[in-house]
Amino acid sequence: MAQPTRVADTGRDEVFQVEEHGIDPIPDAERHGSAKDLFWLWFGSNLTFTYVINGALAVAFGLSFWQATAVVVVGGLAFFAISAAGLSGIRTGTATLVISRAAFGVRGNWPAGLLNWVVSIGYTIVNTVVGTLALEAFLADLGWSGGHAARALALTVTLAMTFAVALWGHATVQFAERWMAYVLAVGFAALLVLVLPGADTTAPAQGPGAAGWSLAFVVMLAGPFSYLPMPADYTRYLPRTTSLRSLTWSGALGGFLSSVALGVAGVAAATQTDMTDAVAGAEGLLPGWFQPLFLALVLGGSVTNSIITLYSSSLNLQVLGIPWSRARAIVISAAVTALGSLGALFLTDFTTSLLSFLSLLIIVFAPWGGVFLADMVLRRCSYDGDALHTAERGAYWYRGGWHPAGATALLAGMLFAALTCDSELWTGPLVAPLGGADLTLLGAVVSALVYVLLARRRVIPFRP
């Protein structure tokens, strides 16, 4: 299998300078920063309107204000696991999808890597479309309703904001997320203050049953779970002395605070108005003077989230064997994002189909996450860094490039998830007997347990 070309150790990871490193290990001499940087990264990237939509969906599934709020909080707590997974980046100095070769094998890691790239680009397209529509509406409020021309301009601006930051790389991504977080936090705090007082907290639940509860949890937890292939991408520059405790708390609090605050805003809005069109519904609850600012918030939140998914997609392409630098590889992801966004904006059913497809992929990524986290715990985050970047000669080649325990556990989790999945494109045969409950996310638990049973005696921490 072709391996990505390693670049020279120039040490360049500076704001507004193109990052030289890709998935090659970051030398200790070039490590910098602290755990608190992760707070702003996860806080800023999750100040996105998606969580408002998720909170509104929980109410649509039949949950009361307090029940839906409880689900939002539980979903936010998942960021503790996501943040802790970043320890693997500190130990190895490389990206998450390189580290997962230890669990699945060099070749066995490839299919999930490809699917993850598809998911990253898919969500980047969705965020780009949401941001474009918000900017188009903002321009209309300013008096310019230019039809296709206005939409094309809005798309160009949204893509340019996302691509420029992601192209510059790691240092610029962290810088942009921090400063955009300052602005977005103030704006979304104002949104919460305007929406929350009118929430109907006394309305009883409509009897959500197992189906309503499970769907609400799937929606809330799918967001954090989608980040599982990414945390090491943003910790690989941190010094090896960074502690697990500081790493976990800094990143988790960032993701928790932003996702929960916006999720509760969505819950509150849904108890007051129809949130079928979430942007229009939320906008209708706001005073006229705040509505243009609200559209700017939607645009900014879409961009902050797209930046980290687009950046990680460039590392992902290197993992798949693209023999290009990270900066060159990101052009591929940006081009596909642009084409997909054009389709979504001018083909009315494209966005719905894309979202349905992406939601179905949780059948793969929940079990993948279970295996990856179980492997990380068994190894105590100690890996053979050289073997992660070698093929047939490495310790993670296993049998023909596949790790039997990882493959078996992944398939077991996927089978369970497929049997209990309730989505628009697929309904598992066990959903009806379970009262309509969607237990897809438990595929992660199944795969983790199977992996531990199969690999606990052979998978051990690496000792130099």
Side-chain angles (χ1 to χ4, degrees):
M1 175 179 294
Q3 298 298 309
T5 302
R6 298 197 181 193
V7 298
D9 293 340
T10 62
R12 177 176 291 181
D13 183 40
E14 301 172 2
V15 177
F16 304 131
Q17 297 291 325
V18 176
E19 177 191 4
E20 299 289 345
H21 285 294
I23 63 172
D24 52 302
I26 308 300
D28 288 347
E30 299 177 25
R31 304 287 190 97
H32 61 88
S34 65
K36 66 181 180 181
D37 296 331
L38 297 175
F39 173 86
W40 295 109
L41 176 83
W42 292 112
F43 182 71
S45 62
N46 285 284
L47 285 171
T48 173
F49 194 73
T50 301
Y51 289 105
V52 177
I53 298 174
N54 291 347
L57 283 173
V59 175
F61 294 145
L63 275 65
S64 67
F65 175 87
W66 293 112
Q67 289 172 333
T69 298
V71 174
V72 168
V73 171
V74 171
L77 291 173
F79 278 101
F80 280 87
I82 304 303
S83 188
L87 181 62
S88 59
I90 293 173
R91 294 282 179 82
T92 63
T94 191
T96 303
L97 282 168
V98 175
I99 300 164
S100 61
R101 289 169 175 170
F104 300 99
V106 175
R107 285 179 173 167
N109 188 59
W110 201 91
L114 177 61
L115 284 175
N116 181 69
W117 182 79
V118 172
V119 170
S120 296
I121 295 302
Y123 279 117
T124 305
I125 291 172
V126 172
N127 277 320
T128 299
V129 169
V130 171
T132 297
L133 294 176
L135 181 54
E136 182 183 16
F138 181 80
L139 293 174
D141 286 345
L142 294 178
W144 185 37
S145 299
H148 289 329
R151 179 166 293 188
L153 175 62
L155 175 60
T156 301
V157 171
T158 305
L159 285 171
M161 292 170 65
T162 304
F163 175 68
V165 175
L167 175 66
W168 273 316
H170 176 266
T172 310
V173 167
Q174 289 197 321
F175 175 84
E177 293 291 351
R178 176 191 288 266
W179 285 98
M180 291 180 75
Y182 293 156
V183 177
L184 292 175
V186 173
F188 278 119
L191 172 69
L192 192 60
V193 169
L194 292 170
V195 171
L196 193 57
D200 184 358
T201 61
T202 61
Q206 303 172 9
W213 279 105
S214 64
L215 287 172
F217 275 112
V218 167
V219 167
M220 293 301 170
L221 290 169
F225 259 81
S226 68
Y227 291 122
L228 260 179
M230 299 183 192
D233 301 2
Y234 304 100
T235 60
R236 70 195 202 282
Y237 277 94
L238 292 178
R240 290 183 188 272
T241 54
T242 307
S243 70
L244 174 61
R245 182 175 181 176
S246 62
L247 166 79
T248 302
W249 277 96
S250 294
L253 283 178
F256 177 85
L257 290 175
S258 51
S259 65
V260 169
L262 296 187
V264 170
V267 172
T271 64
Q272 304 172 61
T273 188
D274 180 12
M275 290 287 284
T276 303
D277 182 339
V279 174
E283 189 177 14
L285 296 174
L286 302 172
W289 63 268
F290 190 78
Q291 290 179 3
L293 296 177
F294 168 70
L295 294 173
L297 290 175
V298 175
L299 168 63
S302 298
V303 170
T304 60
N305 195 260
S306 293
I307 285 171
I308 67 167
T309 54
L310 188 61
Y311 173 79
S312 286
S313 74
S314 64
L315 299 176
N316 197 333
L317 286 173
Q318 288 192 312
V319 174
L320 293 175
I322 299 294
W324 290 358
S325 67
R326 182 206 61 82
R328 290 181 63 192
I330 204 171
V331 175
I332 299 176
S333 295
V336 175
T337 298
L339 291 174
S341 299
L342 285 170
L345 289 166
F346 295 100
L347 300 176
T348 56
D349 61 342
F350 181 85
T351 304
T352 301
S353 300
L354 179 61
L355 284 170
S356 298
F357 172 69
L358 293 174
S359 66
L360 188 63
L361 288 183
I362 197 170
I363 292 176
V364 177
F365 282 102
W368 182 93
V371 175
F372 174 71
L373 292 176
D375 182 81
M376 191 177 71
V377 171
L378 289 177
R379 297 182 193 276
R380 299 178 186 174
C381 245
S382 295
Y383 301 89
D384 182 343
D386 290 335
L388 288 172
H389 293 274
T390 57
E392 297 184 23
R393 301 183 305 276
Y396 305 126
W397 183 251
Y398 302 112
R399 298 180 184 177
W402 296 76
H403 188 195
T408 302
L410 177 63
L411 290 174
M414 288 174 58
L415 176 62
F416 178 87
L419 291 173
T420 59
C421 175
D422 184 14
S423 71
E424 292 187 13
L425 298 180
W426 168 258
T427 300
L430 296 183
V431 171
L434 290 170
D438 184 334
L439 304 181
T440 312
L441 290 174
L442 290 182
V445 178
V446 172
S447 63
L449 290 175
V450 173
Y451 187 76
V452 170
L453 289 174
L454 295 176
R456 68 185 187 280
R457 294 181 180 177
R458 296 185 177 181
V459 172
I460 59 175
F462 172 70
R463 294 181 177 86

